[in-house]
C-alpha cells in the first residue's frame, strides 16, 4: 500500500512532469493515436482534491452527470443520477462504481487539471470524469471512441488492455461491454500513475482496493454529427429568394401525378443551397465553442459597474469561467458559440485570453475592456487571476 502523505498538497503538474519527462512533440509523434503509454507518478496527490465522500457529494447534485454501474451475477446494471446520499451509502462492499462526468465544471482543481492537458488544443479536450469503485468494481471490458488518460487518484487498480481488432459488443446490455476480451498487457496503477490509451483500444479497469480513477477524455465528433449540425447551421443562416411558378402549366387528366416539370423546378430550387469555406469555418468555430447542453452561466449576483470592473481588471486581471469555451480560427474568435466581432487591434490579447484562459493585471484599452465587461456580465469570465 502506498503511504498517504498528509503533508502533500495537490499542485497541477507542469507539462514535463505530466508526460514523465517526455516532450509533447515526441508524445504526439510516437504515442498519440498509436500506442498506450504508462507514466508512473504523473499526477500525485489527487486524493487531496477529491476523496470518496467528495465524489459522492457531487453524484448527488442535480447539475452533475452521474452514473452508477453494478455488476451482479454476470448482469451489468446502469442508473443515472442524481443519487441520494442514502442510496449511495447502501451500496454493497464490492463490484460497483459511481462515475461523475464533467467534474471540471464542478471542481476548480479538476478544471485546472483538465487544462493542464492543453498540449492538445482545447477544441479536442472534452471533460474530466472521476469514478469511485470498491474492490472488484469497474465498468467492464470496453473501448472508447476517444483518446483517454486514466489517472489513479486513490487506491490501486489493475488495468488490462488489448490491441484486439474484435470490437464486438455484448447484445442487449445497458453498458458497452466487449463480447470477447483477450488481455495483452496489464498494469497495477498506484496513486499518481497515468495510463494513456489511443481511441478504440480495449481496456478493463478492476479496483483492487477502494479506488478512484480520473479520466481526461477527448472530443471526437462523428461525421454524422458534423453533417447534421452543419445542416442545422445552414438552415438557420440560409436566405434564398424565389417562389415556385409554372407559367407553362397545362391540363392533365392525372391530377395525382407530380408533373415532371414541377419536380425538376423544385430540384433547381434545392440546388440553390450553396456554402463556402468561410461558412464551414464559421460553423466549426461556433460549434466547437458551444458549451454542452446542460451548461448554464451564472451572471454575477451584484455585478461591479463598468468603472469598478476596469479598476479591478487593472489590479487583478481576469480568467475565463470553467464553463467558457473560447477558440479562434483564422481571424475570427468564438466565445461560447458566438462569433466575436473584434477590431483587428484586439486580436493579440484575445488570442492570449483564448490560449491561456486568463489575462494578467494591466491597463487595457477601452474597446477590449468594454468587450470583457460584457462577457463578465454574462458570467463568461471572472475577475482575478
Ligand atoms: C472508470 O473510471 O472506471 C472508467 C474509465 C474508462 O474506462 O474510460
Ligand atoms: Co474507457
Amino acid at each position: 500500500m502506498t503511504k498517504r502523505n498528509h503533508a502533500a498538497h495537490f499542485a497541477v503538474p507542469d507539462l514535463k512532469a505530466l508526460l514523465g519527462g517526455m516532450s509533447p512533440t515526441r508524445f504526439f509523434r510516437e504515442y498519440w493515436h498509436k500506442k498506450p503509454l504508462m507514466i508512473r507518478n504523473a499526477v500525485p496527490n489527487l486524493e487531496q482534491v477529491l476523496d470518496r465522500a467528495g465524489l459522492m457529494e457531487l453524484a448527488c447534485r442535480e447539475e452533475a452527470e452521474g452514473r452508477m454501474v453494478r455488476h451482479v451475477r454476470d448482469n451489468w446494471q446502469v442508473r443515472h443520477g442524481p443519487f441520494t446520499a442514502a442510496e449511495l451509502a447502501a451500496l454493497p462492499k464490492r463490484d460497483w462504481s459511481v462515475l461523475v462526468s464533467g467534474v471540471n465544471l464542478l471542481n476548480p482543481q479538476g478544471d485546472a487539471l483538465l487544462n493542464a492537458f492543453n498540449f492538445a488544443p482545447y477544441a479536442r479536450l472534452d471533460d474530466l470524469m472521476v469514478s469511485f469503485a470498491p474492490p472488484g468494481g469497474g465498468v467492464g471490458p470496453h473501448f472508447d471512441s476517444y483518446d483517454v488518460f486514466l489517472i489513479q487518484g486513490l487506491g490501486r487498480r489493475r488495468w488490462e488492455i488489448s490491441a484486439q481488432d474484435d470490437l464486438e459488443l455484448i447484445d442487449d446490455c445497458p453498458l458497452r461491454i466487449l463480447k470477447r476480451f483477450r488481455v495483452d498487457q496489464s498494469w497495477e496503477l498506484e496513486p499518481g500513475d497515468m495510463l494513456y490509451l489511443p481511441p478504440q483500444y480495449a481496456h478493463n479497469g478492476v479496483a483492487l482496493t477502494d479506488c478512484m480513477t480520473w479520466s481526461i477524455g477527448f472530443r471526437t465528433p462523428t461525421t454524422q454529427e458534423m453533417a447534421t449540425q452543419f445542416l442545422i447551421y445552414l438552415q438557420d443562416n440560409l436566405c434564398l429568394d424565389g417562389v415556385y411558378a409554372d407559367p407553362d402549366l397545362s391540363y392533365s387528366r392525372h391530377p395525382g401525378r407530380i408533373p415532371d416539370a414541377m419536380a425538376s423546378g423544385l430540384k433547381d430550387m434545392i440546388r440553390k443551397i450553396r456554402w463556402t469555406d468561410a461558412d464551414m469555418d464559421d460553423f466549426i468555430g461556433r460549434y466547437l465553442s458551444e458549451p454542452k447542453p446542460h451548461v448554464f452561466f451564472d451572471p454575477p449576483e451584484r455585478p461591479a459597474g463598468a468603472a469598478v470592473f476596469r479598476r479591478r481588471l487593472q489590479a487583478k486581471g481576469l480568467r475565463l469561467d470553467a464553463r467558457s469555451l473560447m477558440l479562434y480560427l483564422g481571424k475570427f474568435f468564438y466565445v461560447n458559440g458566438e462569433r466575436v466581432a473584434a477590431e483587428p487591434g484586439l486580436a493579440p490579447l484575445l488570442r492570449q485570453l483564448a490560449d491561456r484562459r486568463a489575462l494578467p493585471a494591466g491597463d487595457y484599452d477601452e474597446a477590449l475592456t468594454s468587450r470583457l465587461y460584457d462577457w463578465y456580465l454574462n458570467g463568461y469570465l471572472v475577475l482575478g487571476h
Side-chain angles (χ1 to χ4, degrees), residues 286 289-291 297 323-326 334-338 379-380:
R286 289 174 196 267
S289 68
E290 184 76 60
F297 288 92
R323 289 163 285 195
S324 274
L325 292 170
M326 181 171 186
Y334 298 88
V335 176
N336 298 327
E338 295 291 331
Y380 292 177

Side-chain angles (χ1 to χ4, degrees), residues 368-380:
L368 182 64
T369 307
S370 81
R371 170 130 327 221
L372 295 172
Y373 184 58
D374 288 344
W375 291 343
Y376 159 76
L377 293 178
N378 289 343
Y380 292 177

Side-chain angles (χ1 to χ4, degrees), residues 37-53:
L37 173 66
M38 169 73 181
I39 299 173
R40 296 284 180 192
N41 208 30
V43 189
N45 303 321
L46 274 174
E47 73 279 7
Q48 309 287 330
V49 178
L50 213 51
D51 57 9
R52 174 185 182 156

Side-chain angles (χ1 to χ4, degrees), residues 11 46 58 95 102 111 159 201 214 273 298 344 357 364-365 383:
L46 274 174
L58 293 184
D95 301 340
D111 178 49
W159 280 104
Y201 215 98
W214 297 57
I273 304 171
D298 294 323
R357 297 185 57 82
Y364 297 106
D365 76 16
L383 283 161

